[in-house]
Amino acid sequence: AQTVTQSQPEMSVQEAETVTLSCTYDTSESDYYLFWYKQPPSRQMILVIRQEAYKQQNATENRFSVNFQKAAKSFSLKISDSQLGDAAMYFCAYRSAKYSGAGSYQLTFGKGTKLSVIP
Amino acid sequence: GAGVSQSPSNKVTEKGKDVELRCDPISGHTALYWYRQRLGQGLEFLIYFQGNSAPDKSGLPSDRFSAERTGESVSTLTIQRTQQEDSAVYLCASSLITSSAQYFGPGTRLTVL
């Protein structure tokens, strides 16, 4: 079974600064997807960024970018020019790329990192 | 277009009662997922639908939990004889089968007294 670990329960960043959230995962699969989701107090889970494991190039979405290290099974999220609206819980998630029975298509989540943005 | 919607937004019930939670996925999304999020925790997978069939029910915690989907659209999650440990936010997500990204609804907060 796959596991996802987020070792930072809470982080804070000064507005306009850069912050990096850590995520590691454990899997025996070679083909999979990784995601970062944001959950503000409204509790809506919002997709921030995704990475296909077969792609070596790190994904970027505006101020959000990832550092994907497949051999190290590490998938960190960097938020540049932090804004007050970035304050939220951030969840790292894993999903298999191939169907191989029960559990294949589910997202496996870490426990989350609470990000505070200081004005 | 419209995102995933869920109703009710909040539900308070008494222990032992049955509840139904509804999910309307994004139009055209054939895959639908239910997750549970306990307070301060990450999400736990419950069940996955492909069309109207559920090939993966591995996350349902007990036989008190069931779900159905009709017309490759709306899904209903039913919890019978609710217990206090069922209190959580229940989140629904949908995706195109060819896409890996799951898009979530706002969730239903269930409180069992």
Side-chain angles (χ1 to χ4, degrees), chain A residues 33 35 37 39 43-45 47 50 91 95 102-103 105-107 109-111, chain B residues 9 33 35 37 41-43 45 48 56 99-102 104-107:
Chain A
Y33 301 97
F35 305 86
Y37 281 90
Q39 188 178 40
R43 78 175 183 240
Q44 176 94 43
M45 293 286 284
L47 178 64
R50 68 177 177 183
F91 292 96
R95 205 210 85 163
Y105 284 163
Q106 70 182 78
L107 287 170
F109 286 85
K111 292 188 180 298
Chain B
S9 177
Y33 313 79
Y35 293 86
Q37 185 178 28
Q41 300 294 316
L43 277 68
F45 169 77
Y48 154 63
D56 190 351
S99 167
S100 63
Q102 295 180 18
F104 284 81

PDB file of all heavy atoms in Angstrom, chain A residues 33 35 37 39 43-45 47 50 91 95 102-103 105-107 109-111, chain B residues 9 33 35 37 41-43 45 48 56 99-102 104-107:
ATOM      1  N   TYR A  33       0.711   9.385 -10.214  1.00  0.00           N
ATOM      2  CA  TYR A  33       0.511  10.831 -10.227  1.00  0.00           C
ATOM      3  C   TYR A  33       0.656  11.349  -8.795  1.00  0.00           C
ATOM      4  O   TYR A  33       0.298  10.668  -7.833  1.00  0.00           O
ATOM      5  CB  TYR A  33      -0.884  11.198 -10.726  1.00  0.00           C
ATOM      6  CG  TYR A  33      -1.207  10.709 -12.115  1.00  0.00           C
ATOM      7  CD1 TYR A  33      -1.926   9.529 -12.302  1.00  0.00           C
ATOM      8  CD2 TYR A  33      -0.817  11.425 -13.240  1.00  0.00           C
ATOM      9  CE1 TYR A  33      -2.236   9.083 -13.575  1.00  0.00           C
ATOM     10  CE2 TYR A  33      -1.132  10.980 -14.507  1.00  0.00           C
ATOM     11  CZ  TYR A  33      -1.843   9.807 -14.670  1.00  0.00           C
ATOM     12  OH  TYR A  33      -2.156   9.362 -15.932  1.00  0.00           O
ATOM     13  N   PHE A  35      -0.105  15.003  -6.419  1.00  0.00           N
ATOM     14  CA  PHE A  35      -0.908  16.216  -6.408  1.00  0.00           C
ATOM     15  C   PHE A  35      -0.647  17.018  -5.138  1.00  0.00           C
ATOM     16  O   PHE A  35      -0.316  16.470  -4.093  1.00  0.00           O
ATOM     17  CB  PHE A  35      -2.409  15.874  -6.419  1.00  0.00           C
ATOM     18  CG  PHE A  35      -2.843  14.993  -7.542  1.00  0.00           C
ATOM     19  CD1 PHE A  35      -2.762  13.616  -7.419  1.00  0.00           C
ATOM     20  CD2 PHE A  35      -3.349  15.529  -8.714  1.00  0.00           C
ATOM     21  CE1 PHE A  35      -3.166  12.781  -8.448  1.00  0.00           C
ATOM     22  CE2 PHE A  35      -3.759  14.704  -9.750  1.00  0.00           C
ATOM     23  CZ  PHE A  35      -3.660  13.338  -9.616  1.00  0.00           C
ATOM     24  N   TYR A  37      -3.147  19.642  -3.042  1.00  0.00           N
ATOM     25  CA  TYR A  37      -4.460  20.252  -2.898  1.00  0.00           C
ATOM     26  C   TYR A  37      -4.393  21.278  -1.771  1.00  0.00           C
ATOM     27  O   TYR A  37      -3.687  21.096  -0.779  1.00  0.00           O
ATOM     28  CB  TYR A  37      -5.527  19.209  -2.551  1.00  0.00           C
ATOM     29  CG  TYR A  37      -6.019  18.386  -3.721  1.00  0.00           C
ATOM     30  CD1 TYR A  37      -5.386  17.200  -4.066  1.00  0.00           C
ATOM     31  CD2 TYR A  37      -7.132  18.787  -4.458  1.00  0.00           C
ATOM     32  CE1 TYR A  37      -5.850  16.438  -5.131  1.00  0.00           C
ATOM     33  CE2 TYR A  37      -7.606  18.017  -5.527  1.00  0.00           C
ATOM     34  CZ  TYR A  37      -6.955  16.848  -5.848  1.00  0.00           C
ATOM     35  OH  TYR A  37      -7.410  16.085  -6.902  1.00  0.00           O
ATOM     36  N   GLN A  39      -6.816  23.407   0.976  1.00  0.00           N
ATOM     37  CA  GLN A  39      -8.127  23.413   1.619  1.00  0.00           C
ATOM     38  C   GLN A  39      -8.235  24.614   2.546  1.00  0.00           C
ATOM     39  O   GLN A  39      -7.756  24.589   3.679  1.00  0.00           O
ATOM     40  CB  GLN A  39      -8.376  22.121   2.401  1.00  0.00           C
ATOM     41  CG  GLN A  39      -9.797  21.998   2.926  1.00  0.00           C
ATOM     42  CD  GLN A  39     -10.049  20.692   3.657  1.00  0.00           C
ATOM     43  OE1 GLN A  39      -9.208  20.226   4.406  1.00  0.00           O
ATOM     44  NE2 GLN A  39     -11.220  20.096   3.431  1.00  0.00           N
ATOM     45  N   ARG A  43     -13.409  24.719   3.436  1.00  0.00           N
ATOM     46  CA  ARG A  43     -13.243  23.265   3.330  1.00  0.00           C
ATOM     47  C   ARG A  43     -13.304  22.717   1.905  1.00  0.00           C
ATOM     48  O   ARG A  43     -13.197  21.528   1.697  1.00  0.00           O
ATOM     49  CB  ARG A  43     -14.174  22.498   4.264  1.00  0.00           C
ATOM     50  CG  ARG A  43     -15.591  22.366   3.820  1.00  0.00           C
ATOM     51  CD  ARG A  43     -16.407  21.489   4.765  1.00  0.00           C
ATOM     52  NE  ARG A  43     -17.743  21.359   4.240  1.00  0.00           N
ATOM     53  CZ  ARG A  43     -18.833  21.762   4.897  1.00  0.00           C
ATOM     54  NH1 ARG A  43     -18.731  22.281   6.088  1.00  0.00           N
ATOM     55  NH2 ARG A  43     -20.012  21.618   4.352  1.00  0.00           N
ATOM     56  N   GLN A  44     -13.428  23.591   0.910  1.00  0.00           N
ATOM     57  CA  GLN A  44     -13.380  23.144  -0.485  1.00  0.00           C
ATOM     58  C   GLN A  44     -11.952  22.721  -0.824  1.00  0.00           C
ATOM     59  O   GLN A  44     -11.015  23.487  -0.658  1.00  0.00           O
ATOM     60  CB  GLN A  44     -13.800  24.289  -1.414  1.00  0.00           C
ATOM     61  CG  GLN A  44     -13.703  23.964  -2.884  1.00  0.00           C
ATOM     62  CD  GLN A  44     -15.005  23.459  -3.452  1.00  0.00           C
ATOM     63  OE1 GLN A  44     -16.056  23.992  -3.146  1.00  0.00           O
ATOM     64  NE2 GLN A  44     -14.957  22.445  -4.284  1.00  0.00           N
ATOM     65  N   MET A  45     -11.780  21.512  -1.286  1.00  0.00           N
ATOM     66  CA  MET A  45     -10.461  21.025  -1.722  1.00  0.00           C
ATOM     67  C   MET A  45     -10.206  21.546  -3.136  1.00  0.00           C
ATOM     68  O   MET A  45     -10.958  21.248  -4.057  1.00  0.00           O
ATOM     69  CB  MET A  45     -10.423  19.501  -1.721  1.00  0.00           C
ATOM     70  CG  MET A  45     -10.506  18.882  -0.348  1.00  0.00           C
ATOM     71  SD  MET A  45      -8.980  19.043   0.578  1.00  0.00           S
ATOM     72  CE  MET A  45      -7.995  17.788  -0.206  1.00  0.00           C
ATOM     73  N   LEU A  47      -7.536  21.854  -6.324  1.00  0.00           N
ATOM     74  CA  LEU A  47      -6.329  21.317  -6.941  1.00  0.00           C
ATOM     75  C   LEU A  47      -5.358  22.450  -7.237  1.00  0.00           C
ATOM     76  O   LEU A  47      -5.708  23.408  -7.921  1.00  0.00           O
ATOM     77  CB  LEU A  47      -6.689  20.575  -8.230  1.00  0.00           C
ATOM     78  CG  LEU A  47      -5.519  19.997  -9.029  1.00  0.00           C
ATOM     79  CD1 LEU A  47      -4.803  18.922  -8.224  1.00  0.00           C
ATOM     80  CD2 LEU A  47      -6.011  19.435 -10.359  1.00  0.00           C
ATOM     81  N   ARG A  50      -0.324  19.265 -10.253  1.00  0.00           N
ATOM     82  CA  ARG A  50      -0.160  17.824 -10.359  1.00  0.00           C
ATOM     83  C   ARG A  50       1.094  17.508 -11.161  1.00  0.00           C
ATOM     84  O   ARG A  50       1.541  18.298 -11.979  1.00  0.00           O
ATOM     85  CB  ARG A  50      -1.373  17.176 -10.992  1.00  0.00           C
ATOM     86  CG  ARG A  50      -1.569  17.511 -12.469  1.00  0.00           C
ATOM     87  CD  ARG A  50      -2.757  16.767 -13.008  1.00  0.00           C
ATOM     88  NE  ARG A  50      -3.038  17.115 -14.401  1.00  0.00           N
ATOM     89  CZ  ARG A  50      -4.061  16.642 -15.076  1.00  0.00           C
ATOM     90  NH1 ARG A  50      -4.886  15.791 -14.511  1.00  0.00           N
ATOM     91  NH2 ARG A  50      -4.271  16.995 -16.317  1.00  0.00           N
ATOM     92  N   PHE A  91      -2.533  19.663   1.265  1.00  0.00           N
ATOM     93  CA  PHE A  91      -2.439  18.218   1.290  1.00  0.00           C
ATOM     94  C   PHE A  91      -1.699  17.716   0.064  1.00  0.00           C
ATOM     95  O   PHE A  91      -1.987  18.123  -1.067  1.00  0.00           O
ATOM     96  CB  PHE A  91      -3.829  17.575   1.321  1.00  0.00           C
ATOM     97  CG  PHE A  91      -4.579  17.796   2.592  1.00  0.00           C
ATOM     98  CD1 PHE A  91      -5.496  18.835   2.704  1.00  0.00           C
ATOM     99  CD2 PHE A  91      -4.385  16.956   3.681  1.00  0.00           C
ATOM    100  CE1 PHE A  91      -6.198  19.040   3.881  1.00  0.00           C
ATOM    101  CE2 PHE A  91      -5.082  17.156   4.861  1.00  0.00           C
ATOM    102  CZ  PHE A  91      -5.988  18.186   4.964  1.00  0.00           C
ATOM    103  N   ARG A  95      -1.698   8.984  -6.484  1.00  0.00           N
ATOM    104  CA  ARG A  95      -2.657   8.108  -7.153  1.00  0.00           C
ATOM    105  C   ARG A  95      -1.938   7.229  -8.154  1.00  0.00           C
ATOM    106  O   ARG A  95      -1.064   7.701  -8.889  1.00  0.00           O
ATOM    107  CB  ARG A  95      -3.727   8.925  -7.867  1.00  0.00           C
ATOM    108  CG  ARG A  95      -5.045   8.166  -8.048  1.00  0.00           C
ATOM    109  CD  ARG A  95      -5.792   8.584  -9.262  1.00  0.00           C
ATOM    110  NE  ARG A  95      -5.328   7.866 -10.436  1.00  0.00           N
ATOM    111  CZ  ARG A  95      -6.011   7.785 -11.565  1.00  0.00           C
ATOM    112  NH1 ARG A  95      -7.164   8.390 -11.681  1.00  0.00           N
ATOM    113  NH2 ARG A  95      -5.523   7.129 -12.591  1.00  0.00           N
ATOM    114  N   ALA A 102      -8.650  -3.134  -6.257  1.00  0.00           N
ATOM    115  CA  ALA A 102      -9.211  -2.211  -5.267  1.00  0.00           C
ATOM    116  C   ALA A 102      -8.154  -1.215  -4.786  1.00  0.00           C
ATOM    117  O   ALA A 102      -7.016  -1.586  -4.511  1.00  0.00           O
ATOM    118  CB  ALA A 102      -9.770  -2.994  -4.083  1.00  0.00           C
ATOM    119  N   GLY A 103      -8.552   0.027  -4.706  1.00  0.00           N
ATOM    120  CA  GLY A 103      -7.671   1.069  -4.217  1.00  0.00           C
ATOM    121  C   GLY A 103      -6.846   1.766  -5.263  1.00  0.00           C
ATOM    122  O   GLY A 103      -6.163   2.746  -4.977  1.00  0.00           O
ATOM    123  N   TYR A 105      -7.531   3.637  -7.951  1.00  0.00           N
ATOM    124  CA  TYR A 105      -7.848   4.990  -8.407  1.00  0.00           C
ATOM    125  C   TYR A 105      -8.083   5.977  -7.272  1.00  0.00           C
ATOM    126  O   TYR A 105      -8.362   7.136  -7.507  1.00  0.00           O
ATOM    127  CB  TYR A 105      -9.062   4.961  -9.327  1.00  0.00           C
ATOM    128  CG  TYR A 105      -8.755   4.450 -10.719  1.00  0.00           C
ATOM    129  CD1 TYR A 105      -9.784   4.022 -11.551  1.00  0.00           C
ATOM    130  CD2 TYR A 105      -7.461   4.394 -11.202  1.00  0.00           C
ATOM    131  CE1 TYR A 105      -9.517   3.557 -12.829  1.00  0.00           C
ATOM    132  CE2 TYR A 105      -7.184   3.930 -12.472  1.00  0.00           C
ATOM    133  CZ  TYR A 105      -8.222   3.516 -13.291  1.00  0.00           C
ATOM    134  OH  TYR A 105      -7.966   3.060 -14.547  1.00  0.00           O
ATOM    135  N   GLN A 106      -8.015   5.506  -6.038  1.00  0.00           N
ATOM    136  CA  GLN A 106      -8.231   6.431  -4.937  1.00  0.00           C
ATOM    137  C   GLN A 106      -7.024   7.324  -4.768  1.00  0.00           C
ATOM    138  O   GLN A 106      -5.905   6.965  -5.110  1.00  0.00           O
ATOM    139  CB  GLN A 106      -8.488   5.679  -3.636  1.00  0.00           C
ATOM    140  CG  GLN A 106      -7.243   4.975  -3.098  1.00  0.00           C
ATOM    141  CD  GLN A 106      -7.520   4.187  -1.844  1.00  0.00           C
ATOM    142  OE1 GLN A 106      -8.058   3.094  -1.898  1.00  0.00           O
ATOM    143  NE2 GLN A 106      -7.172   4.758  -0.708  1.00  0.00           N
ATOM    144  N   LEU A 107      -7.258   8.509  -4.249  1.00  0.00           N
ATOM    145  CA  LEU A 107      -6.176   9.385  -3.835  1.00  0.00           C
ATOM    146  C   LEU A 107      -5.788   9.018  -2.410  1.00  0.00           C
ATOM    147  O   LEU A 107      -6.639   8.857  -1.547  1.00  0.00           O
ATOM    148  CB  LEU A 107      -6.622  10.845  -3.868  1.00  0.00           C
ATOM    149  CG  LEU A 107      -6.784  11.489  -5.251  1.00  0.00           C
ATOM    150  CD1 LEU A 107      -7.459  12.840  -5.131  1.00  0.00           C
ATOM    151  CD2 LEU A 107      -5.441  11.630  -5.929  1.00  0.00           C
ATOM    152  N   PHE A 109      -3.880  10.470   0.732  1.00  0.00           N
ATOM    153  CA  PHE A 109      -3.495  11.802   1.213  1.00  0.00           C
ATOM    154  C   PHE A 109      -2.542  11.723   2.398  1.00  0.00           C
ATOM    155  O   PHE A 109      -2.615  10.801   3.221  1.00  0.00           O
ATOM    156  CB  PHE A 109      -4.733  12.579   1.667  1.00  0.00           C
ATOM    157  CG  PHE A 109      -5.599  13.073   0.542  1.00  0.00           C
ATOM    158  CD1 PHE A 109      -6.559  12.259  -0.017  1.00  0.00           C
ATOM    159  CD2 PHE A 109      -5.455  14.361   0.052  1.00  0.00           C
ATOM    160  CE1 PHE A 109      -7.373  12.709  -1.057  1.00  0.00           C
ATOM    161  CE2 PHE A 109      -6.253  14.829  -0.981  1.00  0.00           C
ATOM    162  CZ  PHE A 109      -7.208  13.991  -1.533  1.00  0.00           C
ATOM    163  N   GLY A 110      -1.702  12.740   2.505  1.00  0.00           N
ATOM    164  CA  GLY A 110      -0.966  12.977   3.732  1.00  0.00           C
ATOM    165  C   GLY A 110      -1.871  13.664   4.748  1.00  0.00           C
ATOM    166  O   GLY A 110      -3.039  13.968   4.458  1.00  0.00           O
ATOM    167  N   LYS A 111      -1.359  13.916   5.936  1.00  0.00           N
ATOM    168  CA  LYS A 111      -2.171  14.511   6.993  1.00  0.00           C
ATOM    169  C   LYS A 111      -2.278  16.016   6.892  1.00  0.00           C
ATOM    170  O   LYS A 111      -3.033  16.633   7.637  1.00  0.00           O
ATOM    171  CB  LYS A 111      -1.619  14.114   8.360  1.00  0.00           C
ATOM    172  CG  LYS A 111      -1.774  12.629   8.662  1.00  0.00           C
ATOM    173  CD  LYS A 111      -1.405  12.310  10.101  1.00  0.00           C
ATOM    174  CE  LYS A 111      -1.561  10.826  10.389  1.00  0.00           C
ATOM    175  NZ  LYS A 111      -2.961  10.390  10.215  1.00  0.00           N
TER     176      LYS A 111
ATOM    177  N   SER B   9     -25.254  21.024   3.054  1.00  0.00           N
ATOM    178  CA  SER B   9     -23.950  21.528   3.445  1.00  0.00           C
ATOM    179  C   SER B   9     -23.593  21.050   4.848  1.00  0.00           C
ATOM    180  O   SER B   9     -22.428  20.716   5.126  1.00  0.00           O
ATOM    181  CB  SER B   9     -23.959  23.059   3.393  1.00  0.00           C
ATOM    182  OG  SER B   9     -22.727  23.573   3.830  1.00  0.00           O
ATOM    183  N   TYR B  33     -16.087   9.763  -6.713  1.00  0.00           N
ATOM    184  CA  TYR B  33     -15.427   9.234  -5.516  1.00  0.00           C
ATOM    185  C   TYR B  33     -16.055   9.859  -4.271  1.00  0.00           C
ATOM    186  O   TYR B  33     -16.415  11.031  -4.277  1.00  0.00           O
ATOM    187  CB  TYR B  33     -13.934   9.592  -5.515  1.00  0.00           C
ATOM    188  CG  TYR B  33     -13.215   9.328  -6.816  1.00  0.00           C
ATOM    189  CD1 TYR B  33     -13.341  10.212  -7.881  1.00  0.00           C
ATOM    190  CD2 TYR B  33     -12.411   8.207  -6.978  1.00  0.00           C
ATOM    191  CE1 TYR B  33     -12.685   9.982  -9.090  1.00  0.00           C
ATOM    192  CE2 TYR B  33     -11.750   7.974  -8.173  1.00  0.00           C
ATOM    193  CZ  TYR B  33     -11.892   8.861  -9.223  1.00  0.00           C
ATOM    194  OH  TYR B  33     -11.244   8.637 -10.414  1.00  0.00           O
ATOM    195  N   TYR B  35     -15.064  10.479  -0.157  1.00  0.00           N
ATOM    196  CA  TYR B  35     -14.020  10.474   0.864  1.00  0.00           C
ATOM    197  C   TYR B  35     -14.619  10.965   2.173  1.00  0.00           C
ATOM    198  O   TYR B  35     -15.617  11.674   2.192  1.00  0.00           O
ATOM    199  CB  TYR B  35     -12.860  11.409   0.489  1.00  0.00           C
ATOM    200  CG  TYR B  35     -12.053  10.990  -0.715  1.00  0.00           C
ATOM    201  CD1 TYR B  35     -12.456  11.345  -1.994  1.00  0.00           C
ATOM    202  CD2 TYR B  35     -10.874  10.251  -0.577  1.00  0.00           C
ATOM    203  CE1 TYR B  35     -11.721  10.970  -3.107  1.00  0.00           C
ATOM    204  CE2 TYR B  35     -10.122   9.872  -1.692  1.00  0.00           C
ATOM    205  CZ  TYR B  35     -10.551  10.238  -2.953  1.00  0.00           C
ATOM    206  OH  TYR B  35      -9.822   9.874  -4.051  1.00  0.00           O
ATOM    207  N   GLN B  37     -13.415  12.943   5.849  1.00  0.00           N
ATOM    208  CA  GLN B  37     -12.356  13.705   6.509  1.00  0.00           C
ATOM    209  C   GLN B  37     -12.750  13.953   7.945  1.00  0.00           C
ATOM    210  O   GLN B  37     -13.660  14.751   8.208  1.00  0.00           O
ATOM    211  CB  GLN B  37     -12.086  15.022   5.780  1.00  0.00           C
ATOM    212  CG  GLN B  37     -10.905  15.798   6.356  1.00  0.00           C
ATOM    213  CD  GLN B  37     -10.625  17.070   5.595  1.00  0.00           C
ATOM    214  OE1 GLN B  37     -11.512  17.677   5.003  1.00  0.00           O
ATOM    215  NE2 GLN B  37      -9.361  17.503   5.592  1.00  0.00           N
ATOM    216  N   GLN B  41      -7.763  15.768  10.172  1.00  0.00           N
ATOM    217  CA  GLN B  41      -7.114  14.644   9.494  1.00  0.00           C
ATOM    218  C   GLN B  41      -7.126  14.835   7.985  1.00  0.00           C
ATOM    219  O   GLN B  41      -7.809  15.711   7.441  1.00  0.00           O
ATOM    220  CB  GLN B  41      -7.840  13.343   9.842  1.00  0.00           C
ATOM    221  CG  GLN B  41      -7.851  13.021  11.316  1.00  0.00           C
ATOM    222  CD  GLN B  41      -6.472  12.721  11.849  1.00  0.00           C
ATOM    223  OE1 GLN B  41      -5.679  11.999  11.256  1.00  0.00           O
ATOM    224  NE2 GLN B  41      -6.152  13.318  12.984  1.00  0.00           N
ATOM    225  N   GLY B  42      -6.377  13.984   7.305  1.00  0.00           N
ATOM    226  CA  GLY B  42      -6.444  13.936   5.854  1.00  0.00           C
ATOM    227  C   GLY B  42      -7.692  13.181   5.417  1.00  0.00           C
ATOM    228  O   GLY B  42      -8.535  12.817   6.231  1.00  0.00           O
ATOM    229  N   LEU B  43      -7.805  12.972   4.142  1.00  0.00           N
ATOM    230  CA  LEU B  43      -8.996  12.331   3.597  1.00  0.00           C
ATOM    231  C   LEU B  43      -8.837  10.813   3.537  1.00  0.00           C
ATOM    232  O   LEU B  43      -7.774  10.302   3.196  1.00  0.00           O
ATOM    233  CB  LEU B  43      -9.278  12.848   2.188  1.00  0.00           C
ATOM    234  CG  LEU B  43     -10.033  14.162   2.089  1.00  0.00           C
ATOM    235  CD1 LEU B  43      -9.209  15.332   2.590  1.00  0.00           C
ATOM    236  CD2 LEU B  43     -10.505  14.403   0.664  1.00  0.00           C
ATOM    237  N   PHE B  45     -10.414   7.439   1.709  1.00  0.00           N
ATOM    238  CA  PHE B  45     -11.221   6.972   0.590  1.00  0.00           C
ATOM    239  C   PHE B  45     -12.346   6.062   1.077  1.00  0.00           C
ATOM    240  O   PHE B  45     -12.136   5.203   1.950  1.00  0.00           O
ATOM    241  CB  PHE B  45     -10.322   6.221  -0.395  1.00  0.00           C
ATOM    242  CG  PHE B  45     -11.044   5.461  -1.458  1.00  0.00           C
ATOM    243  CD1 PHE B  45     -11.586   6.125  -2.548  1.00  0.00           C
ATOM    244  CD2 PHE B  45     -11.189   4.089  -1.370  1.00  0.00           C
ATOM    245  CE1 PHE B  45     -12.249   5.418  -3.543  1.00  0.00           C
ATOM    246  CE2 PHE B  45     -11.843   3.375  -2.359  1.00  0.00           C
ATOM    247  CZ  PHE B  45     -12.375   4.052  -3.448  1.00  0.00           C
ATOM    248  N   TYR B  48     -15.563   4.259  -5.001  1.00  0.00           N
ATOM    249  CA  TYR B  48     -15.316   4.804  -6.331  1.00  0.00           C
ATOM    250  C   TYR B  48     -16.352   4.237  -7.291  1.00  0.00           C
ATOM    251  O   TYR B  48     -16.638   3.042  -7.263  1.00  0.00           O
ATOM    252  CB  TYR B  48     -13.892   4.425  -6.762  1.00  0.00           C
ATOM    253  CG  TYR B  48     -13.638   4.328  -8.249  1.00  0.00           C
ATOM    254  CD1 TYR B  48     -13.763   5.430  -9.079  1.00  0.00           C
ATOM    255  CD2 TYR B  48     -13.239   3.113  -8.823  1.00  0.00           C
ATOM    256  CE1 TYR B  48     -13.504   5.334 -10.433  1.00  0.00           C
ATOM    257  CE2 TYR B  48     -12.974   3.008 -10.181  1.00  0.00           C
ATOM    258  CZ  TYR B  48     -13.108   4.125 -10.981  1.00  0.00           C
ATOM    259  OH  TYR B  48     -12.846   4.033 -12.329  1.00  0.00           O
ATOM    260  N   ASP B  56     -14.880  -0.388  -6.783  1.00  0.00           N
ATOM    261  CA  ASP B  56     -14.017  -0.306  -5.609  1.00  0.00           C
ATOM    262  C   ASP B  56     -14.802   0.240  -4.425  1.00  0.00           C
ATOM    263  O   ASP B  56     -15.075   1.430  -4.348  1.00  0.00           O
ATOM    264  CB  ASP B  56     -12.796   0.573  -5.894  1.00  0.00           C
ATOM    265  CG  ASP B  56     -11.749   0.502  -4.796  1.00  0.00           C
ATOM    266  OD1 ASP B  56     -12.024  -0.092  -3.729  1.00  0.00           O
ATOM    267  OD2 ASP B  56     -10.655   1.051  -4.999  1.00  0.00           O
ATOM    268  N   SER B  99      -8.575  11.330 -17.295  1.00  0.00           N
ATOM    269  CA  SER B  99      -7.783  12.323 -16.567  1.00  0.00           C
ATOM    270  C   SER B  99      -7.525  11.835 -15.167  1.00  0.00           C
ATOM    271  O   SER B  99      -8.341  11.170 -14.562  1.00  0.00           O
ATOM    272  CB  SER B  99      -8.531  13.649 -16.517  1.00  0.00           C
ATOM    273  OG  SER B  99      -7.932  14.527 -15.582  1.00  0.00           O
ATOM    274  N   SER B 100      -6.394  12.166 -14.614  1.00  0.00           N
ATOM    275  CA  SER B 100      -6.092  11.738 -13.263  1.00  0.00           C
ATOM    276  C   SER B 100      -6.591  12.712 -12.211  1.00  0.00           C
ATOM    277  O   SER B 100      -6.671  12.368 -11.057  1.00  0.00           O
ATOM    278  CB  SER B 100      -4.586  11.575 -13.093  1.00  0.00           C
ATOM    279  OG  SER B 100      -3.937  12.824 -13.280  1.00  0.00           O
ATOM    280  N   ALA B 101      -6.913  13.930 -12.596  1.00  0.00           N
ATOM    281  CA  ALA B 101      -7.254  14.943 -11.600  1.00  0.00           C
ATOM    282  C   ALA B 101      -8.669  14.738 -11.092  1.00  0.00           C
ATOM    283  O   ALA B 101      -9.598  14.535 -11.862  1.00  0.00           O
ATOM    284  CB  ALA B 101      -7.108  16.333 -12.191  1.00  0.00           C
ATOM    285  N   GLN B 102      -8.831  14.764  -9.787  1.00  0.00           N
ATOM    286  CA  GLN B 102     -10.135  14.692  -9.161  1.00  0.00           C
ATOM    287  C   GLN B 102     -10.503  16.083  -8.650  1.00  0.00           C
ATOM    288  O   GLN B 102      -9.701  16.736  -7.991  1.00  0.00           O
ATOM    289  CB  GLN B 102     -10.118  13.688  -8.006  1.00  0.00           C
ATOM    290  CG  GLN B 102      -9.860  12.260  -8.475  1.00  0.00           C
ATOM    291  CD  GLN B 102      -9.835  11.249  -7.356  1.00  0.00           C
ATOM    292  OE1 GLN B 102     -10.322  11.509  -6.261  1.00  0.00           O
ATOM    293  NE2 GLN B 102      -9.269  10.089  -7.626  1.00  0.00           N
ATOM    294  N   PHE B 104     -13.101  18.331  -6.368  1.00  0.00           N
ATOM    295  CA  PHE B 104     -13.896  18.096  -5.179  1.00  0.00           C
ATOM    296  C   PHE B 104     -15.065  19.068  -5.039  1.00  0.00           C
ATOM    297  O   PHE B 104     -15.000  20.220  -5.468  1.00  0.00           O
ATOM    298  CB  PHE B 104     -13.025  18.223  -3.927  1.00  0.00           C
ATOM    299  CG  PHE B 104     -12.136  17.032  -3.707  1.00  0.00           C
ATOM    300  CD1 PHE B 104     -10.944  16.907  -4.407  1.00  0.00           C
ATOM    301  CD2 PHE B 104     -12.495  16.036  -2.823  1.00  0.00           C
ATOM    302  CE1 PHE B 104     -10.117  15.799  -4.219  1.00  0.00           C
ATOM    303  CE2 PHE B 104     -11.680  14.936  -2.617  1.00  0.00           C
ATOM    304  CZ  PHE B 104     -10.494  14.814  -3.314  1.00  0.00           C
ATOM    305  N   GLY B 105     -16.111  18.580  -4.377  1.00  0.00           N
ATOM    306  CA  GLY B 105     -17.199  19.433  -3.946  1.00  0.00           C
ATOM    307  C   GLY B 105     -16.873  20.056  -2.597  1.00  0.00           C
ATOM    308  O   GLY B 105     -15.828  19.776  -2.009  1.00  0.00           O
ATOM    309  N   PRO B 106     -17.788  20.884  -2.079  1.00  0.00           N
ATOM    310  CA  PRO B 106     -17.540  21.591  -0.821  1.00  0.00           C
ATOM    311  C   PRO B 106     -17.741  20.727   0.419  1.00  0.00           C
ATOM    312  O   PRO B 106     -17.421  21.150   1.522  1.00  0.00           O
ATOM    313  CB  PRO B 106     -18.557  22.728  -0.861  1.00  0.00           C
ATOM    314  CG  PRO B 106     -19.669  22.193  -1.703  1.00  0.00           C
ATOM    315  CD  PRO B 106     -19.030  21.308  -2.729  1.00  0.00           C
ATOM    316  N   GLY B 107     -18.288  19.534   0.236  1.00  0.00           N
ATOM    317  CA  GLY B 107     -18.445  18.625   1.364  1.00  0.00           C
ATOM    318  C   GLY B 107     -19.739  18.807   2.143  1.00  0.00           C
ATOM    319  O   GLY B 107     -20.409  19.839   2.060  1.00  0.00           O
TER     320      GLY B 107
END
